[in-house]
Amino acid sequence: MLNPGTSHPLGATATQTGVNFALAAPHAEKVELCLFDPTGTHEQQRLKLPEFTDGIWHGHLPSARPGLVYAYRVHGPWSPSEGHRFNPSKLLLDPYAREIVGSYDGSDLFHGHAAADPTQRDTRDNASIALKARVVSPSTTRAPGHARIPATDRVICELHVRSHTKLHPAVPAPLRGSYAALAEPAVLDHLQRLGVTTLSLMPVQHRADEERLLAMGLTNHWGYNTIGWFAPEARYWSGRPGTTPAGEFRALADAVHARGMELVIDVVYNHSAESDELGPTLSLRGIDNALYYHLRADDRALYENWAGTGNCLNLGEPRVLQLVMDSLRFWAGEMGVDGFRFDLAPVLGRATATGFDPRAPFFAAIAQDPLLSRTLLIAEPWDIGPGGYRLGEFPPGWLEWNDRFRDTQRGFWLRQDREGRAGLGDFAHRFAASSAQFAHDGRSPAASVNFVTAHDGFTLRDLLSYDTRHNEANGENNRDGHGHNLSRNCGVEGPSDDPAVRAERLRLSRALLAALMLSQGTPMLLAGDEIGHSQHGNNNAYCQDNETTWLHWVGSTDPAGEPARLSAFVARLAALRRAAPVLRSTRWWPADPAPGTAGIRWLRPDGTPMQPPDWEGGTTLAILFGSLEAGTAKETPTSTTPPATPKAAPAWLLLVNAGARAQPFRLPPGAWRCVLASDPAIDPGPEPSVVNATEVEIPPSSLWIATT
């Protein structure tokens, strides 16, 4: 027998006297709490939630304890044209579930609509196979996660829990692919050696795979199909006795924090796994479809599809916004997460009538929240809706993925003789943190999250091995994935044993990594690039939970092997970035610094300042950081030029040659020491080398950096 209970908090809350259940469903006519055996197979009891307060159904079950398995049946009108899709024949998952029992198998028994006529209900009962929630014990008090890395020092690495550890030889076999595996010392040691400060995990909230993928024997491996926003994905749990998915994730967070590192998770609040009007009824659709989703104004039987996944959550509704905010606070306050990367973030600030608004309720709620406002907030600043590209338009305090940095670097280094090439002006603008997009409202250069590769697209190795995508394994006849990759196969499509091809690919890999790590802004690496991971040309491997996406660590620990050498190069870049504050400034450099002041000088190879015509096209550039005396930047150095006046801070010089031929550069006055070159042939290695010349020759497709 249920007592009235309370309407807050939402979800199932264990107390000393029982469990309180609360579900937001204002358009429902009745809600039944369904209790199951521990396996979630057999429905044992149905109890009507007795109270309805401000749109929330609630009740308290005195006899209930943690471990109880439950789901809901929600009664109401079946009227798709009015946005209502209530169907009590379909068991519904509590959107506040902390632990989920069972998995969605793609069966049509999950459809709320009849196959022969989608305007009608499907009356078949799916209780035995539906997703259910398990009541969990109240969480113990723990310090909430919070961003701890200074913006100037942050180096992000995007990775997938399972792919990163599934083949790792230093991880015990029973743990591979799990949260526990990622917490292993050998795994975190490698990331720290690279200079990574911030782990950005691809989605770890509970997902449901698409019906189409399940029919092909595939899964949504990337995880961008969330159905449980409070439940860690159980597929990344080791299953060790005495542990739970949530407990194992918390242990991972503790291990990351013990290293002084940050933990960020990729979250999907723009849509749910229920897809479009022909998709499954798993949770929100059956609880209160008209409340939770953006429905089309011209036909409320259909969904707005700004995410390209069939539906969009409506954060303009207070209860939906509450769901998202409660979820974020749960991960930050109870699971130890330091920040969030928001998938397709413009959807979160959209309303049907007004489009994207950086002052939308979601952004306002984040800004005033005493916990969430202190977390690291990263936007993927685009969706596929009208006006969906919003790079640079998110509120102050947010970071944003900068795909224009990606495209410019690829166009500059890989496409000089092809369509898609980028000139010196574009390169310099992105190198200096894209001020046109980010230098407003007090935002800093760190707001630009720079990357060359990410989970979506080619890996670095494939970027230099394939001219076209090879996504046949995804079952869509190679139509999926982006066709505009700005890649360069270096003369051979796919793997090659040709020494010249391999040398060119290595040289370009190092140049792209150097450009990423030496640019202003926040650099983001893709895990596996440092060991040469390939997906065999698949640039949309979202459904490949196999050796296509699993990182191959063979050779990564052999100092003489190419993977280990490339990893060591990334580590040197990160160390160089730490040693040179000018490379990671949180202030915008002045466009025309006065003599004797700190700034960036843009110079031609002959040492004279760049002129407006020089920025059109072009492949060579010298970038000088530091404080110079009046006139020195315009002097043409000679062997008799005296050293520059000593300065409080060393000057730094970056020489860039993206051309096909070697280029001589005149050096500005000063005693220069080369600390790194992307071309292995002239790289001094770990120890800087003194430059006893006034001119250096930089090989093609390479960078060179020196300091005084």
Side-chain angles (χ1 to χ4, degrees):
M1 187 72 176
L2 287 169
N3 298 326
T6 63
S7 61
H8 180 82
L10 292 171
T13 306
T15 69
Q16 292 183 343
T17 59
V19 175
N20 190 78
F21 297 88
L23 182 72
H27 296 108
E29 297 171 349
K30 183 174 73 171
V31 175
E32 292 178 302
L33 173 67
C34 304
L35 307 181
F36 287 79
D37 71 291
T39 68
T41 305
H42 303 293
E43 186 176 3
Q44 298 178 328
Q45 196 173 8
R46 296 185 195 180
L47 301 169
K48 180 180 178 295
L49 291 182
E51 295 294 322
F52 181 59
T53 305
D54 298 328
I56 296 175
W57 297 85
H58 55 94
H60 183 268
L61 184 59
S63 59
R65 296 290 182 269
L68 178 69
V69 177
Y70 72 99
Y72 292 110
R73 295 182 189 270
V74 181
H75 300 253
W78 174 268
S79 180
S81 64
E82 297 179 295
H84 300 310
R85 294 177 176 272
F86 295 102
N87 187 343
S89 297
K90 308 302 173 182
L91 266 285
L92 303 173
L93 177 68
D94 184 352
Y96 278 74
R98 286 344 193 234
E99 185 176 321
I100 294 176
V101 177
S103 60
Y104 169 62
D105 64 2
S107 166
D108 66 359
L109 198 56
F110 285 92
H111 290 169
H113 61 276
D117 183 359
T119 66
Q120 302 299 313
R121 280 184 177 133
D122 182 306
T123 58
R124 297 175 296 166
D125 195 285
N126 74 337
S128 63
I129 63 172
L131 299 175
K132 291 100 179 173
R134 191 188 307 277
V135 178
V136 301
S137 299
S139 61
T140 57
T141 302
R142 58 186 292 111
H146 59 86
R148 63 184 68 194
I149 304 298
T152 55
D153 299 343
R154 185 173 286 121
V155 176
I156 299 172
C157 181
E158 187 192 28
L159 61 87
H160 188 287
V161 171
R162 182 169 171 84
S163 290
H164 197 79
T165 62
K166 184 62 177 174
L167 300 178
H168 202 297
V171 173
L175 300 185
R176 293 175 187 170
S178 70
Y179 303 120
L182 191 56
E184 281 287 298
V187 177
L188 295 179
D189 284 348
H190 172 78
L191 292 166
Q192 282 202 297
R193 281 195 297 268
L194 290 180
V196 171
T197 67
T198 306
L199 277 62
S200 181
L201 307 185
M202 291 175 67
V204 295
Q205 295 171 327
H206 196 96
R207 74 176 193 262
D209 300 316
E210 292 92 323
E211 182 178 341
R212 179 187 63 84
L213 293 178
L214 291 169
M216 293 190 294
L218 300 173
T219 67
N220 190 319
H221 177 59
W222 283 355
Y224 293 96
N225 216 40
T226 305
I227 197 61
W229 290 273
F230 293 78
E233 173 54 67
R235 280 176 271 200
Y236 308 147
W237 171 44
S238 69
R240 292 173 298 171
T243 67
T244 64
E248 194 164 281
F249 184 91
R250 290 189 189 101
L252 165 61
D254 290 342
V256 170
H257 293 154
R259 302 281 185 127
M261 303 169 76
E262 292 174 320
L263 186 64
V264 170
I265 63 171
D266 202 333
V267 288
V268 184
Y269 298 111
N270 57 76
H271 75 280
S272 83
E274 292 183 304
S275 189
D276 61 15
E277 65 276 3
L278 299 179
T281 295
L282 305 174
S283 181
L284 303 181
R285 174 174 284 137
I287 293 170
D288 199 327
N289 185 68
L291 172 74
Y292 287 100
Y293 292 114
H294 279 289
L295 304 179
R296 282 177 41 178
D298 59 335
D299 186 350
R300 291 179 63 78
L302 305 178
Y303 298 82
E304 294 288 4
N305 191 23
W306 305 315
T309 55
N311 66 58
C312 291
L313 297 185
N314 185 1
L315 272 69
E317 284 285 353
R319 290 301 182 195
V320 185
L321 178 60
Q322 180 184 359
L323 169 68
V324 172
M325 294 296 292
D326 287 349
S327 171
L328 291 170
R329 279 189 288 263
F330 167 75
W331 286 93
E334 296 187 31
M335 301 297 282
V337 165
D338 302 302
F340 305 92
R341 182 267 189 189
F342 294 87
D343 181 61
L344 302 180
V347 173
L348 309 179
R350 278 188 179 272
T352 302
T354 60
F356 175 78
D357 182 359
R359 298 182 179 180
F362 171 70
F363 300 117
I366 290 279
Q368 62 77 44
D369 189 279
L371 171 61
L372 298 178
S373 61
R374 295 185 292 114
T375 61
L376 183 60
L377 304 168
I378 305 173
E380 181 183 39
W382 51 79
D383 63 31
I384 68 168
Y389 189 79
R390 319 302 298 205
L391 179 68
E393 298 182 32
F394 281 74
W398 283 70
L399 280 62
E400 302 177 37
W401 274 27
N402 188 348
D403 64 323
R404 292 187 181 176
F405 179 93
R406 174 199 66 194
D407 291 349
T408 295
Q409 296 301 334
R410 293 183 180 190
F412 185 70
W413 294 102
L414 309 181
R415 309 290 294 190
Q416 285 296 334
D417 56 348
R418 304 185 186 190
E419 179 185 0
R421 63 184 177 274
L424 285 172
D426 292 332
F427 172 83
H429 181 58
R430 302 305 167 195
F431 176 87
S434 302
S435 59
Q437 282 72 41
F438 295 105
H440 61 83
D441 296 322
R443 303 185 75 183
S444 82
S448 176
V449 176
N450 301 329
F451 63 101
V452 174
T453 55
H455 71 270
D456 193 0
F458 281 142
T459 66
L460 181 60
R461 187 182 189 93
D462 288 355
L463 184 68
L464 303 170
S465 302
Y466 296 92
D467 274 353
T468 60
R469 63 193 173 200
H470 296 268
N471 299 354
E472 292 80 5
N474 297 350
E476 298 183 51
N477 297 315
N478 206 34
R479 293 191 301 266
D480 63 306
H482 209 295
H484 184 64
N485 296 291
L486 299 173
S487 59
R488 175 175 168 180
N489 70 11
C490 300
V492 177
E493 189 75 356
S496 175
D497 292 328
D498 186 323
V501 171
R502 293 173 66 91
E504 183 179 9
R505 289 175 176 173
L506 176 61
R507 186 169 64 250
L508 287 168
S509 294
R510 288 168 56 115
L512 286 164
L513 288 167
L516 170 64
M517 295 296 288
L518 302 180
S519 292
Q520 306 291 294
T522 301
M524 184 181 78
L525 299 163
L526 174 63
D529 278 354
E530 81 283 2
I531 59 172
H533 175 63
S534 172
Q535 294 179 167
H536 317 299
N538 192 326
N539 76 347
N540 189 37
Y542 75 103
C543 57
Q544 301 298 320
D545 184 8
N546 50 50
E547 295 199 8
T548 299
T549 55
W550 300 346
L551 301 193
H552 291 254
W553 295 92
V554 177
S556 62
T557 57
D558 178 6
E562 185 174 307
R565 294 201 306 272
L566 191 58
S567 293
F569 180 71
V570 173
R572 285 177 57 206
L573 286 167
L576 175 57
R577 185 178 177 87
R578 293 192 298 271
V582 295
L583 298 178
R584 47 189 175 86
S585 174
T586 57
R587 296 186 178 183
W588 297 99
W589 294 99
D592 187 20
T597 64
I600 296 180
R601 271 75 176 181
W602 309 93
L603 309 175
R604 297 190 296 200
D606 64 4
T608 60
M610 292 282 287
Q611 301 300 318
D614 298 328
W615 295 109
E616 301 297 328
T619 59
T620 56
L621 174 70
I623 308 171
L624 180 62
F625 295 87
S627 176
L628 296 181
E629 297 301 324
T632 56
K634 297 183 179 180
E635 295 173 357
T636 301
T638 67
S639 58
T640 59
T641 301
T645 303
K647 295 173 278 293
W652 291 84
L653 177 66
L654 180 65
L655 305 182
V656 178
N657 179 18
R661 289 184 288 273
Q663 173 67 50
F665 283 82
R666 289 276 185 175
L667 300 180
W672 295 99
R673 294 177 301 125
C674 175
V675 295
L676 181 142
S678 64
D679 190 308
I682 64 168
D683 185 17
E687 295 298 325
S689 63
V690 176
V691 182
N692 293 314
T694 59
E695 183 176 285
V696 295
E697 185 172 86
I698 304 303
S701 303
S702 64
L703 295 93
W704 182 93
I705 188 166
T707 186
T708 54

